[in-house]
Amino acid sequence: MPRIDRMTREITCTLVYDGPARSGKSTNLRYLHGRARPGSRTSVSWSPDLDLLALDAGAVSGFRVRFQLYAVSGEEHRSVTRRMILQGADGVVFVADSQARRVDDNLAGWRALDADLDRRLPRVTQFNKQDLPVGLILAPADLAEVLGDDPGRGVPADALHGSGVFETFDLLSRLVLQQFA
Amino acid sequence: MRTVEPWVERPLTTFLEESSARIAAVLTPSGQVVAQHGFAAAPDLMAAASLAAGIMAATSELSRVIGAPPLRELAYEGHDVGIYLAAIELPGRRWLGLVAYGKDSSLGLVQLFFGELVKDLGRAAPPKPFALAGPAALDPDFEAELDRNLRALFGR
């Protein structure tokens, strides 16, 4: 659950970007990092296991809202780190690789997330790499059907060039904070 | 004393009186403060709550890695001050208790009455699994303000 301190009037939310290896999780964070005002990027860390980006979203209803974004490695041998991070998540972005050849990887990642995460937790699916040639990718609706997901809660994206990255973060932020409204 | 959940106040007051503890805080595992007594400043309370939650999380994970049962309590007996940190198991919820005591008390007293505190909280707790109550933090139309802030943050 997001941390709320009513005495200091601060809310801190942990958002985790999960998904198969090389689907674009770190790319999302690096894009957000590059676009954020320098004074609002309170900390950043890039490593093979884990990327961390802390953002200050300013005051909302008199509460200072901070986000901690994690991108966990999709490599199988780093799964212990991944599970530890997911235990503290307040919301999750599943970054799917829209390439048709990666359907099995997406499905494996999706099932792993279902196994490791409380289903009541806010979740957004990002259908990344939608910029690739049509013949090489699945449309968001088709990929959602493969995953068994609701296509209405997904965001098409091209994280490398920033398309859909802000929209994904914005959507998940709203979903996570709705429990405080 | 300050409490988020009113039903916590009486059991915690009783604990403080019987144990002679100087400082006591009831926390969620993520470090959110449910109730506290004795902290003079909010930053001190925040720091203590975060550290206590982190310590319990780290030791619990350590226990899991080495195959030991989950750690339920930690104690430190200094020359002038002692610290006790322990889990509070309630129906549908697990909290943490952080206690600091001086020479007018002892670890044994604190542990004894902490056990009673847990029982009292269990009897006083609402019958259904609960979430921390309190007024809603954000206005119903918070999304517009959030959206403006995020767009300003990212220069959109």
Side-chain angles (χ1 to χ4, degrees):
Chain A
M1 180 177 177
R3 177 178 172 176
I4 178 170
D5 191 312
R6 295 180 188 272
M7 297 177 193
T8 60
R9 300 187 70 78
E10 291 185 350
I11 297 175
T12 304
C13 307
T14 298
L15 309 182
V16 177
Y17 285 67
D18 192 37
R22 300 179 307 283
S23 63
K25 303 180 293 294
S26 293
T27 307
N28 268 266
L29 263 64
R30 289 173 191 267
Y31 181 83
L32 290 172
H33 173 258
R35 289 290 184 174
R37 281 198 317 262
S40 295
R41 300 185 309 235
T42 55
S43 65
V44 62
S45 170
W46 313 114
S47 76
D49 281 337
L50 182 71
D51 296 334
L52 164 63
L53 174 62
L55 297 170
D56 185 343
V60 178
S61 300
F63 279 78
R64 191 162 203 90
V65 177
R66 304 178 194 276
F67 293 100
Q68 293 176 324
L69 277 60
Y70 291 88
V72 293
S73 168
E75 301 291 342
E76 180 60 30
H77 63 282
R78 303 191 194 278
S79 60
V80 172
T81 304
R82 174 183 168 277
R83 280 198 295 274
M84 286 181 62
I85 296 299
L86 282 175
Q87 285 176 8
D90 301 315
V92 173
V93 175
F94 182 79
V95 182
D97 188 326
S98 297
Q99 296 180 87
R101 65 184 179 86
R102 299 216 60 201
V103 163
D104 290 343
D105 295 330
N106 287 315
L107 205 49
W110 183 262
R111 288 171 177 163
L113 187 59
D114 266 352
D116 293 334
L117 199 71
D118 187 334
R119 293 197 175 195
R120 295 169 295 180
L121 219 61
R123 187 194 298 195
V124 170
T125 305
Q126 183 187 82
F127 303 104
N128 194 25
K129 305 186 184 179
Q130 284 289 309
D131 58 303
L132 293 176
V134 170
L136 297 179
I137 62 172
L138 294 178
D142 295 331
L143 187 47
E145 184 177 355
V146 168
L147 298 176
D149 189 23
D150 176 3
R153 68 173 178 181
V155 179
D158 165 16
L160 194 60
H161 301 100
S163 172
V165 173
F166 171 81
E167 289 77 7
T168 302
F169 171 64
D170 181 62
L171 176 57
L172 185 60
S173 303
R174 286 189 278 120
L175 291 174
V176 168
L177 289 175
Q178 275 172 1
Q179 62 188 293
F180 291 116
Chain B
M1 177 179 302
R2 299 187 64 175
T3 65
V4 175
E5 291 287 339
W7 54 269
V8 173
E9 182 171 354
R10 178 173 289 186
L12 188 58
T13 299
T14 301
F15 166 76
L16 287 164
E17 291 171 351
E18 293 179 339
S19 67
S20 299
R22 295 180 184 177
I23 289 174
V26 178
L27 316 168
T28 67
S30 61
Q32 189 173 346
V33 179
V34 177
Q36 72 93 6
H37 169 84
F39 284 94
D44 295 336
L45 172 60
M46 283 176 57
S50 296
L51 289 169
I55 289 169
M56 287 302 278
T59 50
S60 293
E61 184 60 20
L62 177 61
S63 299
R64 188 191 70 79
V65 169
I66 64 177
L71 202 69
R72 296 181 57 82
E73 58 181 348
L74 292 166
Y76 166 77
E77 287 199 275
H79 185 263
D80 296 316
V81 176
I83 300 173
Y84 182 68
L85 179 61
I88 299 174
E89 302 287 352
L90 298 175
R93 187 69 60 158
R94 185 174 190 263
W95 283 347
L96 307 175
L98 172 65
V99 181
Y101 57 93
K103 291 186 175 181
D104 51 349
S105 184
S106 69
L107 177 60
L109 271 177
V110 168
Q111 285 177 313
L112 175 66
F113 291 112
F114 191 88
E116 295 303 310
L117 168 65
V118 174
K119 293 177 185 175
D120 289 344
L121 288 172
R123 282 189 285 266
K128 294 181 181 179
F130 54 86
L132 284 178
L138 303 179
D139 297 333
D141 59 348
F142 79 92
E143 293 188 27
E145 190 173 6
L146 174 66
D147 189 64
R148 281 196 302 272
N149 286 7
L150 292 182
R151 290 185 181 278
L153 173 61
F154 294 109
R156 296 176 69 95

